[in-house]
Amino acid sequence: MSFHYFAGAACRALTARKDGPSLYDVCDPVLAGPASGDPHLAKFYKTALGNPALRILLRRAGLPELSDATRLTRLREALTRARDDAEPDWAALGRPLADLVDTIPLEHPKPPPVPFAGTMPRQAQIDGAIRDCAQHLLRSFRQNGFLPTYAAFNLIGDPDVRGRELIMALTGLNSRGYKNSSLLFNLARVFIARSQARGVINPPWTGIAEPMWEPVQIRHRSAYYDAFFIEALLSYVETGLASSTDATAAKRAIADMVDFCINISREEVRGTDGARFDVITALAPAPHPRFSRFFAQIKQDLGFGVYVPDCDTTACSISAAMQAGSNDPILDQPLLDFYAGYQVRAGINEPRVTVPLNDNIDYEGGVATWIDNLKGERPYGNDLDPTLNLDILEVSFRNLARWKILETPARLATVHRIIGFQKRLAASGAFANPRSHIYYLPELYSAYFGRCYAAFLSLPLAAQAAIDPDGDFDFIRHRVLSYVQGELMAAEMNVFDAALALIALGHLGADPRAFAPALNVIIAQLGEGGRRGPFRAYEWNKMKTPTRILVGGPEVTSAFVLMGLAVARRAMVGRG
């Protein structure tokens, strides 16, 4: 978006006619004075919502229905109970706010259709873009000592979180601070979405993945991100395009990131059977996440003090370490034994999924996200994401022999049940519905399925037959290809969408002629990142609670474009 767009949007927000009480008219009498009851609620309000810039932007954003004294009183009473009650009834106090959230007019992006662009870029252009992305990653690693990723808050929230889902979050999350932040963020999003401030907070964009143009972005490091940076640099070396100097620099960066993933970010936990396992936490202890001192304090104030390990970071880190040639003993753990304890078994195990924001899908056979730490803490409750389960399959295929999966009936059964979970997603078409996903978008699911499918095809035929006797992977492959070619690439794409499309198409064996639209988008947008890199920052993954938190960065875009172009190049060279 241009300066003129934001200037106009800000002017409209600042000069709009106020119609009803504002966010601050509602909250100041309860939360702006001396703290009482739970001090975090007032601290969060003053830190996140009461800052001067947001006050100015929202000062004319009013809700006419709150001119009704009864409704205004109910809302303030709910905030007071959230502040003062020792054990708040979150479902009851969340109801007045849930009713307001249901008035938000918010939908997922629906890019317009575009004609098929069948002319291929020149091979030299593709190779040049690969080198540009790799040079960006290596330069950033050299300058920072790591590859940074960024988080940014979009206060308008996620289209899939309506009043019903808000109640799910308030009752299913375990941390009171996290409940507080969900409550207040969702209150703020009503005032934003129904006012002229919406144009400033949530400007339109091209494609599906959201660009990260918020002015405040929180730089940090995580093993989950490093795992994919490892794969990107490995793919660069494998193209043969790297000079000897670049290849050496890439290998050094990879070695450092492998160490960060499986040593610095390692954490011991207990499985549901009491056995101890080493897993990987997404946010290592300070100072390793590389937050600035300012944002480290903000993170604490906003209720993100405790961060527990998760199944996805563990799977991706172990996979990346193995691909990089590591022989660390952590790779020898049969992680499927651990994951089995977090696998949903209808009517048998405890209700693993306490925050079922995507309850439109059948969880049977899926593995939940968050891992209880040794203290038994579970601040985020638990949820279940389809893409995470693809990562578990992928790392299982890479460790098939090491973990003796075919020789161990229980482990093979765990794999079969995850595959069954994925097949039902494909058969119903739910994988293409954004609501089915907690942390990702359908086009990213498609790319990750391609990555998983490639690991499956690398297995001996006898192993493939034992893992997938009914041909479920081929069934899912056809559904995913249909979505990528018939929906994603038939509409307007941005660079990140295009990179994910290439990863899916290349791994799933599509005709290389189908790559043309995505390749053209990437080559045409090369340089859009300005001084920060070849491309802009886009949404890689997200959180839907406490509000829409996007994660990505220019380095992330370069990594995924590099991987997409490398996969496409390999397929094109092979066909040639």
Side-chain angles (χ1 to χ4, degrees), residues 230 234 251 254-263 266 280 316-332 398-399 402-403:
I230 289 169
L234 285 172
K251 290 173 183 176
I254 288 168
D256 177 271
M257 289 188 286
V258 167
D259 181 65
F260 182 82
C261 286
I262 62 173
N263 290 318
R266 185 183 304 204
I280 311 300
C316 293
S317 296
I318 297 299
S319 174
M322 184 179 181
Q323 292 178 65
S326 172
N327 287 309
D328 191 282
I330 194 174
L331 274 64
D332 295 329
R398 291 192 182 278
N399 287 278
R402 189 193 301 259
W403 294 351

Side-chain angles (χ1 to χ4, degrees), residues 23 44 49 63 75 79 94 96-104 106 154-167 169-170 173 178-193 544-548:
L23 172 68
F44 181 90
L49 304 183
L63 299 183
L75 193 55
L79 293 173
L97 176 54
D99 292 340
L100 289 175
V101 169
D102 281 333
T103 69
I104 296 176
L106 200 59
N154 186 335
L155 298 181
I156 204 166
D158 195 278
D160 294 319
V161 179
R162 317 296 294 182
R164 174 175 174 268
E165 288 74 28
L166 171 61
I167 298 298
L170 292 176
L173 298 167
Y178 209 69
K179 292 171 188 275
N180 288 341
S181 56
S182 297
L183 184 76
L184 290 181
F185 268 140
N186 276 274
L187 180 58
R189 65 189 287 241
V190 180
F191 290 89
I192 294 168
K544 296 183 177 183
T545 59
T547 188
R548 184 170 168 81

Side-chain angles (χ1 to χ4, degrees), residues 64-148:
E65 58 264 51
L66 295 184
S67 297
D68 179 342
T70 301
R71 294 196 68 171
L72 179 59
T73 299
R74 284 185 64 215
L75 193 55
R76 282 186 180 151
E77 287 176 348
L79 293 173
T80 302
R81 290 169 58 194
R83 182 194 67 188
D84 292 345
D85 289 0
E87 297 290 339
D89 183 341
W90 291 100
L93 68 84
R95 178 47 53 197
L97 176 54
D99 292 340
L100 289 175
V101 169
D102 281 333
T103 69
I104 296 176
L106 200 59
E107 295 181 343
H108 289 283
K110 295 179 180 178
V114 295
F116 182 82
T119 303
M120 285 281 195
R122 299 191 310 275
Q123 186 66 51
Q125 291 177 296
I126 296 172
D127 291 352
I130 290 174
R131 289 191 179 98
D132 286 346
C133 291
Q135 287 293 329
H136 177 215
L137 295 177
L138 294 175
R139 182 174 63 253
S140 179
F141 189 89
R142 185 170 60 251
Q143 292 172 347
N144 296 294
F146 71 108
L147 286 172

Side-chain angles (χ1 to χ4, degrees), residues 270-341:
R270 290 188 183 89
T272 56
D273 61 354
R276 296 209 171 199
F277 283 85
D278 286 331
V279 297
I280 311 300
T281 185
L283 210 59
H288 299 296
R290 300 294 189 102
F291 289 113
S292 70
R293 187 174 301 174
F294 171 74
F295 280 123
Q297 185 59 50
I298 290 291
K299 182 175 85 73
Q300 191 77 21
D301 290 345
L302 295 185
F304 299 102
V306 176
Y307 214 93
V308 294
D310 65 273
C311 292
D312 207 6
T313 300
T314 301
C316 293
S317 296
I318 297 299
S319 174
M322 184 179 181
Q323 292 178 65
S326 172
N327 287 309
D328 191 282
I330 194 174
L331 274 64
D332 295 329
Q333 297 178 118
L335 277 177
L336 277 173
D337 293 351
F338 178 79
Y339 286 136

